[in-house]
Every structure is written in structure tokens, then in C-alpha cells.
Amino acid sequence: MTSISVEEGIQHSHTTPQDEVIIKSDYDARLANSDLAPLKKQTWSWYNIFAFWMSDVHSVGGYVTAGSLFALGIASWQVLLALIVGIVIVQVFVNLVAKPSQSMGVPFPVTTRFVFGVKGANIPAIIRGIIAVAWYGVQTFLASESLNIVFLKFIPSSQTLATDYKFLGLSALGWISYGILWIAQTCVFWKGMNAIRKFIDWAGPLVYAVMFILAVYLVIEAGGISHINLNLSSGKPLSFMQSIPVIITAIALVVSYFAGPMLNFGDFSRYSHTYKSVKKGNFWGLPVNFLVFSLLTVICASATEPVFGKLITDPIETVEQIGAPVAILLGGLTFVIATVGINIVANFVSPAFDFSHVNPQKISWRAGGMIAAIGSVVITPWNWYANDQAIHYTLDLLGSLIGPLFGILIAGYFTISKQLVAVDDMFTMSPKGHYWYHKGFNPNAVLALAIAGVISVASAIAPSPLKQLGLFDITWISNFSWFIGAGLGYVLFVILERRNPQMPQLDAASQDVNNGALPANN
């Protein structure tokens, strides 16, 4: 097999200068470019990780998700308990998945090479990339709806564009708003990870400031906090025993909401200068930040009832109801920025690395991101999002594969390899490399993903049609598809590796954390 050096293979520009990464002469260009190679210097602080989670949490989706838990019928303190337990579980899992990328300085798809094989790693990369494209389109569409409100308020004549002209199911105004946001996100992304870091550093705090202002305004309009009923629970009160499964479901929903960014969090943890700073950023960004944001959500949503005469759990609708031009402009643009923030960190950066990983010679990080951006238009997410069945089955099917990928990665790194990885071997196509396995694929990882994936997907999409056919109602199990997939992925991979070992067993003396080029930060 002919080896192609990185110097011979790279013929296009990348967002990361080559002098900032470790690219050895024997690295194969079919596996390495300056975006995927290990970093020489990791500079992100705990605050950058904290800001990442602020951008991920402070969104319309996060607001609606937190508020929707109260519709489950449990008491407010039980919802609060579910939020805390759920987000702590997310924090634990995120700390686990962050470790391999931070210690080796490489993004998520590269870390999967030591588990799936240097070629097999494209399987999780493609799966995560496709999921990101789907959500990128949906999130951009939702943000464009916020921008439409601003246009309609300040340019009344735009109503004609919103009602009289349509193309591919979207109004002319919708196309304009979608296009503006598409270009804005692309401009931030195109400037590279440093620009993205700067954007999320101020985007999250900005949303916090507006949320505080909105909460204070609504409380004053309601006549004070004493006039607000903070218990948003609807329906007949549940007994303690009846509430337990509902609380568990709420916890599962919180974890599932963060499943996507949790899996590819290594794309960001790779930039942190120490693992300790990652854990500190995760602590402030997840349990602390999520709890404060959830309390603000409860206050804002609760105040809408006495102020507007009805409960509103959508912040965009709340701002629209206020009616004041300044409120609509400030609120609308802020939630646009919030959605752009989560879209970039969760659905733009991930496919950029994932698609570049498929063919590092021809697809740079920027090119990978543009594939995702263009794909987000091709799928016409507004038509897709409007079809409840289509979005349910598509996103549930794709999302169900995130759990098995997570479980297999965690099992491979912590249980099988004992956190010992030969980094150089992740960049070689030589059959003598540790991670060549069978023609570049680890059969145990592929088989574990196939079995766990099928069961996880079935648990997500089968219960609904079974109920519709009148057979039996097990729709509750769909809320736990991520846990089912992650647990099965972990267990199956460990069993397969114990019975037919494929992964190399390194000792501390032979391990090379970037072969000495990077310290093993703790």
C-alpha cells in the first residue's frame, strides 16, 4: 500500500495554520490535514467552555424544552429536581467524552479511529454529520421566523412578501430571512474557530442580559412576584408514586436534548489547555447555568398568564405580545443571535470536522462546513419541520444512533484501552498500525453499533405505530432511546472485545500521548 505524506497530499487552505498542529512526515494525507491533526498548543480557558454551554442552552429550543416539562403534570419542585438530576447526568457524560479529545488535541471523528479503525471512523463521522445538517436547517429556519417578526413590525409592506409570494413552500420573506441568517452564520464560521470562540464568548451573556430584562419587565407588568403563580403544572395532580415515572421521563428528556453536542463535544474540548479547565467550564456551563436559565424561563412563562391572559412558553411569541417596537427589535434579534449561537456550536462545527474527516485531502474544515450549509437548504427544512411525522421519524431515527456511538466510544477509551492510545497510529494506513484492524475497520465496533443501533432505532420509532394499530401502548419507551442505545453500545462492545479482542493493550511505557508532543493534562 502506497503511503501519501501530508506535505504531498495537501493542496488547499485550512482554517488552522500548519505551524499550530503536529503533522509528522509519516502521517498519511488520507487521514490528516491541518484541521484534524493534534494541536501543538491548547489555549481555551474554562470560561470558553462555559460560554460554549451558554450558547447551547440559551436558545429558543432550550427555553421551550425547559418550559414544556411543566406540562408533564408534576409539581414545580419535581420539575426542578428532574432538571437538576438530568443536567448533572449530562455533565458527567460530557466530562467523559471530553477526555480523549482534550488529552490528544484532536476532534471527535479522529478520536473514534482507535475504536472503529482508521477507516471505520468514517461511520460515526457521517452519522453525526448528517444529523447536524438536519438540525442546522431546522434551527436556521426557526431563527428566520424570529427575524420575520422584526421585518413585519418595522417594514409593514413586507407583509406582501410573507403572504403573496412563495417558492418551494417558503414565502419570499422567509427566503430573505433564511438567506440573511445563512450568510451571517457562514461569515462567522468562515473566519475559523477563533472567531467562533469570540462569538460565543459574548452571545451567551447577551441572551442572559435580555432574559433578565424580560423577566423584570414581565414581573413589573404582572404587579409583582406575588401576583405570579410559579407552578406551571397542568392537568390533574399526580400522587407521589404516579409522579416517579414522570420525573424519570423528564430526566431522560433533558439528557436527550443535549445528546448531539454531548457526542461531539471533543470538537471543542480539544482546544482546552487542561482537562481540569474543561470540567470547571462544564460545571458552570451545565448545572449552574442551566438551572439559572430554567428559573428565568419559569418566571417569564409564569408572568405571561397575568400579563397577557394566557400561558406562553415561546419567548418569541412573548416578545411579539409585548408589542413595543424596542422590545420586538431587542428580543427578536437577541433570540436570533441565540439560535445562531447554538447552530454554529452544535450543527456547523461538527459536520465541518466530520465531512473533512471523510476525505482530508480534498475536504477542508471550511469545505466540510459549507457542505452542511448547502445541504441545509437542499432539504428545505421548513417543509420537513411542518410535517410532524416526517421530522419525528427522521430525527428520532438519526438521533437514536447517537447513543450507541457514545457508549462504544466510552467503552473503548475507558474500559478497553484504559485511556492509553497510540496517537501516531491514528494517522497511518499501514496494516502494521494498531488501528488498522481488518482493512481499516474494527469488526467489534461495527457489529456493536449495528445491533445497538437497530434496537435503539426500534425503541424510538416503533412504539407510535404500534399504538396507532391498537396493539399496545409503550410510547413511553421512546423517551429512553438514547439510554437504551448508549447502554447497549457500551455492553455489547465490551463483551465483543472480551471474547474476540481487537483493540491493542498498551502499557504506560509504550503509550504516546501525541508521542510526547503534548502533555497529558489532568
Side-chain angles (χ1 to χ4, degrees), residues 338-396:
T339 306
V340 168
I342 186 176
N343 220 13
I344 289 176
V345 301
N347 304 315
F348 214 150
V349 171
S350 173
F353 283 119
D354 294 332
F355 294 143
S356 177
H357 184 273
V358 174
N359 193 336
Q361 288 176 270
K362 297 181 179 179
I363 304 176
S364 67
W365 183 79
R366 286 192 177 98
M370 292 311 299
I371 291 173
I374 294 171
S376 73
V377 179
V378 172
I379 64 174
T380 60
W382 45 89
N383 292 323
W384 184 49
Y385 190 74
N387 187 324
D388 292 340
Q389 291 297 315
I391 194 168
H392 168 69
Y393 285 117
T394 306
L395 290 182
D396 281 357

Side-chain angles (χ1 to χ4, degrees), residues 164-463:
D164 296 355
Y165 303 97
K166 279 194 174 185
F167 178 66
L168 295 178
L170 186 64
S171 69
L173 181 61
W175 275 105
I176 292 171
S177 296
Y178 193 95
I180 289 172
L181 290 172
W182 193 94
I183 293 172
Q185 291 174 118
T186 302
C187 288
V188 175
F189 167 81
W190 196 260
K191 290 182 177 294
M193 284 299 297
N194 192 47
I196 292 174
R197 176 185 60 79
K198 292 178 180 178
F199 178 83
I200 62 178
D201 278 353
W202 64 262
L206 173 64
V207 178
Y208 250 141
V210 173
M211 284 288 290
F212 272 112
I213 294 172
L214 181 62
V216 170
Y217 170 81
L218 291 172
V219 169
I220 292 174
E221 287 294 305
I225 197 72
S226 60
H227 291 79
I228 298 175
N229 180 11
L230 296 178
N231 186 1
L232 298 178
S233 300
S234 58
K236 185 179 178 181
L238 301 176
S239 67
F240 177 74
M241 293 304 296
Q242 289 174 322
S243 67
I244 291 177
V246 182
I247 293 173
I248 295 174
T249 298
I251 292 171
L253 290 173
V254 172
V255 177
S256 298
Y257 177 77
F258 290 97
M262 183 163 60
L263 178 66
N264 68 284
F265 182 64
D267 292 339
F268 298 89
S269 67
R270 72 179 296 217
Y271 295 97
S272 295
H273 59 88
T274 64
Y275 183 53
K276 183 178 180 180
S277 69
V278 174
K279 292 190 291 184
K280 182 178 179 181
N282 286 342
F283 170 75
W284 286 101
L286 286 168
V288 176
N289 170 55
F290 187 66
L291 182 59
V292 173
F293 184 77
S294 297
L295 290 173
L296 282 173
T297 297
V298 171
I299 292 172
C300 289
S302 299
T304 59
E305 197 155 17
V307 175
F308 305 117
K310 62 178 181 178
L311 177 64
I312 303 174
T313 58
D314 185 337
I316 297 173
E317 185 182 349
T318 300
V319 170
E320 190 177 13
Q321 286 287 331
I322 293 174
V326 174
I328 289 179
L329 181 63
L330 180 62
L333 293 181
T334 299
F335 286 113
V336 164
I337 291 173
T339 306
V340 168
I342 186 176
N343 220 13
I344 289 176
V345 301
N347 304 315
F348 214 150
V349 171
S350 173
F353 283 119
D354 294 332
F355 294 143
S356 177
H357 184 273
V358 174
N359 193 336
Q361 288 176 270
K362 297 181 179 179
I363 304 176
S364 67
W365 183 79
R366 286 192 177 98
M370 292 311 299
I371 291 173
I374 294 171
S376 73
V377 179
V378 172
I379 64 174
T380 60
W382 45 89
N383 292 323
W384 184 49
Y385 190 74
N387 187 324
D388 292 340
Q389 291 297 315
I391 194 168
H392 168 69
Y393 285 117
T394 306
L395 290 182
D396 281 357
L397 187 150
L398 292 172
S400 297
L401 297 175
I402 292 179
L405 291 174
F406 179 89
I408 293 169
L409 177 60
I410 297 303
Y413 186 70
F414 289 97
T415 306
I416 305 300
S417 70
K418 309 294 185 185
Q419 303 185 52
L420 303 177
V421 180
V423 178
D424 279 354
D425 282 16
M426 295 198 300
F427 293 94
T428 178
M429 284 283 204
S430 170
K432 296 180 180 179
H434 280 114
Y435 308 118
W436 178 251
Y437 299 119
H438 294 275
K439 298 182 179 180
F441 294 82
N442 181 350
N444 287 340
V446 176
L447 182 58
L449 175 60
I451 297 174
V454 167
I455 297 174
S456 180
V457 167
S459 70
I461 66 176

